Amino acid sequence: QKEVEQDPGPLSVPEGAIVSLNCTYSNSAFQYFMWYRQYSRKGPELLMYTYSSGNKEDGRFTAQVDKSSKYISLFIRDSQPSDSATYLCAMTWVSGSARQLTFGSGTQLTVLP
Amino acid sequence: NAGVMQNPRHLVRRRGQEARLRCSPMKGHSHVYWYRQLPEEGLKFMVYLQKENIIDESGMPKERFSAEFPKEGPSILRIQQVVRGDSAAYFCASSPGLGTYEQYFGPGTRLTVT
């Protein structure tokens, strides 16, 4: 079993739709969670990061963390064609000197105009 | 504020040659990380460095791979005697330091071994 499982997609939605992207994890030591967006042949771009359970909103993006269920989500409202990319969840633990991120395999999203 | 810089962006090496990948972190960032993305696979951690120190190299292959982050200049990921299986995208990330955990990625170096 992988430490981080992510729905691979591909996911195709019409412009303006609400998109839900999800990851589950098995290691309860993970305490810090991030979402990245990666366009084809580019580097991952940090979208959101959060430490607490609950919701964090930034513009059209909302990150949700449920530590009791080991489940995180990213919601995109009013999706745009420019949101078409691969979305990666990532997480790390916050004790000791280790800082490595463990990534999900990514969900490929296409927003159709 | 310039982001993380990596060069070269594309690198072609023949089997048995050496590859050197360079990374300059964001201004004010003292922590550097290297990740590898193999075709059709996710991003995998390789090594975590601070200036003149390797903090965590648990993801680094035991042979042929090494990394450094000298007092002056960029971080270097070095792959000796490259093989076809080393063909991948190599990403560098940086973060400000203790108390922060989010990492900012560079554009990557795409290594092709022929």
Side-chain angles (χ1 to χ4, degrees):
Chain A
Q1 182 189 8
K2 291 183 180 178
E3 280 192 292
V4 180
E5 298 277 359
Q6 183 172 3
D7 296 336
L11 186 60
S12 183
V13 301
E15 184 175 354
I18 296 174
V19 177
S20 172
L21 304 164
N22 309 296
C23 287
T24 58
Y25 60 97
S26 57
N27 189 346
S28 57
F30 288 138
Q31 295 290 320
Y32 208 87
F33 305 92
M34 282 148 272
W35 284 95
Y36 289 86
R37 176 173 63 193
Q38 186 175 25
Y39 293 111
S40 180
R41 304 187 71 76
K42 303 289 186 185
E45 173 193 1
L46 180 63
L47 290 175
M48 305 273 296
Y49 58 91
T50 183
Y51 177 74
S52 305
S53 282
N55 294 350
K56 181 179 180 180
E57 189 174 317
D58 184 1
R60 295 185 297 112
F61 298 94
T62 298
Q64 187 176 81
V65 173
D66 182 348
K67 291 184 180 179
S68 62
S69 300
K70 298 190 182 68
Y71 188 90
I72 67 171
S73 299
L74 178 71
F75 298 96
I76 307 174
R77 289 183 300 281
D78 187 26
S79 55
Q80 303 295 310
S82 58
D83 294 328
S84 298
T86 296
Y87 289 78
L88 302 162
C89 63
M91 49 198 77
T92 188
W93 50 92
V94 296
S95 61
S97 60
R99 295 286 186 275
Q100 61 171 282
L101 297 181
T102 300
F103 282 86
S105 55
T107 299
Q108 188 178 344
L109 170 68
T110 300
V111 180
L112 301 170
Chain B
N1 187 13
V4 177
M5 298 174 66
Q6 290 187 249
N7 64 80
R9 297 292 304 276
H10 300 275
L11 183 61
V12 180
R13 285 288 178 265
R14 291 198 180 97
R15 279 178 295 172
Q17 289 185 320
E18 179 180 287
R20 283 192 177 223
L21 289 63
R22 289 177 290 277
C23 168
S24 295
M26 288 178 69
K27 187 177 180 181
H29 288 193
S30 58
H31 295 220
V32 165
Y33 314 80
W34 286 92
Y35 292 82
R36 178 165 65 175
Q37 190 170 40
L38 291 164
E40 307 305 322
E41 291 189 24
L43 278 157
K44 304 293 184 188
F45 167 79
M46 299 180 75
V47 63
Y48 162 37
L49 309 105
Q50 297 177 24
K51 286 283 188 182
E52 299 184 282
N53 281 304
I54 297 174
I55 307 302
D56 181 0
E57 56 182 346
S58 60
M60 195 84 106
K62 292 290 184 284
E63 298 177 351
R64 302 188 296 108
F65 285 73
S66 62
E68 63 176 6
F69 189 14
K71 188 177 180 181
E72 302 290 337
S75 175
I76 306 285
L77 179 68
R78 182 183 179 203
I79 311 172
Q80 295 179 289
Q81 299 175 331
V82 296
V83 301
R84 289 236 171 96
D86 296 332
S87 295
Y90 291 83
F91 292 98
C92 170
S94 72
S95 68
L98 291 176
T100 62
Y101 299 90
E102 63 275 15
Q103 297 176 16
Y104 299 86
F105 282 77
T109 294
R110 279 164 178 78
L111 172 66
T112 301
V113 179
T114 61

